Amino acid sequence: MGMLSSVLMLVPNRRYGYAQLGAHEDRNMGLVPFFVSATLGTTSCCSFDAIHEIGPICQEEGVWLHVDAAYSGSAFICPEFQHLLKGIEHASSFNMNPNKWMLVNFDCSTLWVKDRFKLTQALVVDPLYLQHSYSDKSIDYRHWGIPLSRRFRALKLWFVIRNYGIEGLQKYIRE
């Protein structure tokens, strides 16, 4: 992300009180904590953070909580795995990769954001030649990422959901 390692803080597993203390210490040093990345099933080892413990700290501190469910996110379509989402209501953003466990081929990620305006304001590129009179009437997805346009990846996910349905995907994940 282009940030110096001196301003990044790694929080030891299961020591979330340390995160709160660390945020206070950072503020006392003139630093501004702004982002926490937590996991619900990472790709490398399927690790899980206690979102229900981290989330309230992030809300209290006004910090963006991103939840990465790259690998296990697909399993959350099954009701029996949804208890692992405890505390997800605190998340500012959530991503998963359907290409890892949901029958979608390579290069497909989904991203949910609680407040899309915070995301788009951070990424807005609005030179005169890209402005149009419909900007207040529709969502302009060029503000959702760094490049102005992307390949259309959603269609392959749509085809999988349309072909298998929720029940079919749940059966696949359970097996």
Side-chain angles (χ1 to χ4, degrees):
M1 293 186 150
M3 290 181 266
L4 298 173
S5 61
S6 62
V7 296
L8 294 176
M9 181 175 76
L10 299 177
V11 179
N13 193 21
R14 299 287 181 202
R15 293 186 58 205
Y16 303 117
Y18 179 75
Q20 193 167 26
L21 176 63
H24 293 302
E25 289 176 1
D26 285 351
R27 289 189 198 287
N28 289 338
M29 293 187 307
L31 301 173
V32 180
F34 66 94
F35 181 84
V36 170
S37 182
T39 62
L40 288 180
T42 60
T43 302
S44 60
C45 63
C46 205
S47 65
F48 281 75
D49 287 319
I51 305 300
H52 65 283
E53 294 177 21
I54 301 169
I57 296 169
C58 291
Q59 282 190 327
E60 180 183 316
E61 296 294 330
V63 172
W64 184 284
L65 173 60
H66 175 70
V67 177
D68 179 359
Y71 179 70
S72 67
S74 298
F76 298 138
I77 65 170
C78 298
E80 63 268 29
F81 300 124
Q82 291 177 3
H83 69 278
L84 297 169
L85 291 168
K86 182 179 176 185
I88 196 67
E89 68 275 8
H90 300 291
S92 304
S93 57
F94 175 91
N95 82 287
M96 60 170 274
N97 301 112
N99 61 286
K100 293 185 177 161
W101 203 14
M102 205 166 150
L103 300 171
V104 178
N105 65 343
F106 180 70
D107 197 19
C108 182
S109 295
T110 62
L111 175 67
W112 171 87
V113 292
K114 187 176 283 188
D115 184 349
R116 70 180 171 100
F117 293 106
K118 288 182 180 176
L119 175 70
T120 58
Q121 289 305 304
L123 299 170
V124 70
V125 177
D126 210 16
L128 185 60
Y129 62 88
L130 291 176
Q131 294 176 13
H132 53 84
S133 59
Y134 299 104
S135 60
D136 60 336
K137 296 177 181 78
S138 65
I139 295 173
D140 196 340
Y141 289 105
R142 69 185 162 98
H143 299 307
W144 287 61
I146 295 170
L148 292 176
S149 63
R150 296 184 181 268
R151 296 187 330 252
F152 187 53
R153 296 178 178 108
L155 187 60
K156 58 188 167 189
L157 176 58
W158 182 86
F159 276 127
V160 168
I161 294 170
R162 184 86 171 155
N163 187 43
Y164 288 88
I166 298 299
E167 294 82 15
L169 290 169
Q170 288 171 333
K171 180 182 176 191
Y172 174 76
I173 287 170
R174 288 177 181 130
E175 292 176 354

